[in-house]
Amino acid sequence: LDICSLAAESGTFLRPHTRKESVALFATAVLAPHYLKKGQPKRALQVIDLILAANPKDAVAMRLKANAYGLLVEQRFRSRYPLASQIPPAEQAEFKSYNSKIIEWRSKAKALGWREWAKADWDKYLKHFEKKKSKSQGGK
């Protein structure tokens, strides 16, 4: 898939990384998603803050941070209150804060060139690797 020109121009992708940034990229790929899958958004946020301190242009980490706040909203509010209007006034500020952080971190990632993949993008990605796999196993 193509990397948008904004991502290349902003230095988000296609650039050499320092050792510190390389370690942070590993944490972006493995550690932060691990905590999110385990339903531990606060731990994920701690890791992501360290990642972003090492590599402030990690757009994937920014998206993971937005996702962590989304998981906090799910766990803290949506699981108990089906409608936002049902959230007690004492909890409204926290709910609004999490939602604004979701928007903030998605916007930061988009400003660096990160884009959400559509189903067609995923299909193309998977087809590419299936083709490579087939070739490596003697197929055409």
Side-chain angles (χ1 to χ4, degrees):
L1 294 175
D2 297 328
I3 294 174
C4 80
S5 59
L6 178 59
E9 291 167 10
S10 69
T12 306
F13 298 102
L14 302 176
R15 69 177 178 88
H17 292 90
T18 66
R19 286 184 180 175
K20 191 176 187 181
E21 289 171 334
S22 296
V23 171
L25 289 172
F26 173 78
T28 300
V30 178
L31 196 54
H34 166 76
Y35 285 127
L36 290 173
K37 286 178 187 170
K38 289 189 72 150
Q40 299 176 344
K42 289 186 179 183
R43 286 221 172 172
L45 286 168
Q46 291 172 332
V47 168
I48 295 164
D49 286 342
L50 293 172
I51 291 167
L52 291 170
N55 186 2
K57 290 186 175 186
D58 188 336
V60 174
M62 292 175 187
R63 286 295 301 181
L64 290 171
K65 192 163 184 168
N67 292 349
Y69 282 111
L71 185 55
L72 281 170
V73 168
E74 181 63 38
Q75 290 175 346
R76 180 92 174 86
F77 301 103
R78 288 196 187 117
S79 63
R80 298 184 312 162
Y81 311 109
L83 301 173
S85 61
Q86 296 172 328
I87 298 171
E91 298 178 35
Q92 283 287 332
E94 181 183 9
F95 174 74
K96 289 177 182 176
S97 173
Y98 289 162
N99 280 305
S100 68
K101 289 180 185 297
I102 293 167
I103 293 166
E104 173 189 352
W105 287 102
R106 284 181 179 168
S107 296
K108 286 182 180 189
K110 285 183 93 171
L112 290 174
W114 187 91
R115 297 292 179 259
E116 187 87 45
W117 278 12
K119 183 179 180 334
D121 297 321
W122 281 109
D123 290 345
K124 183 178 177 183
Y125 173 80
L126 294 172
K127 185 177 178 181
H128 169 79
F129 283 100
E130 282 300 318
K131 186 176 178 181
K132 292 285 185 187
K133 180 180 171 185
S134 177
K135 277 186 180 181
S136 73
Q137 295 176 346
K140 290 185 177 186

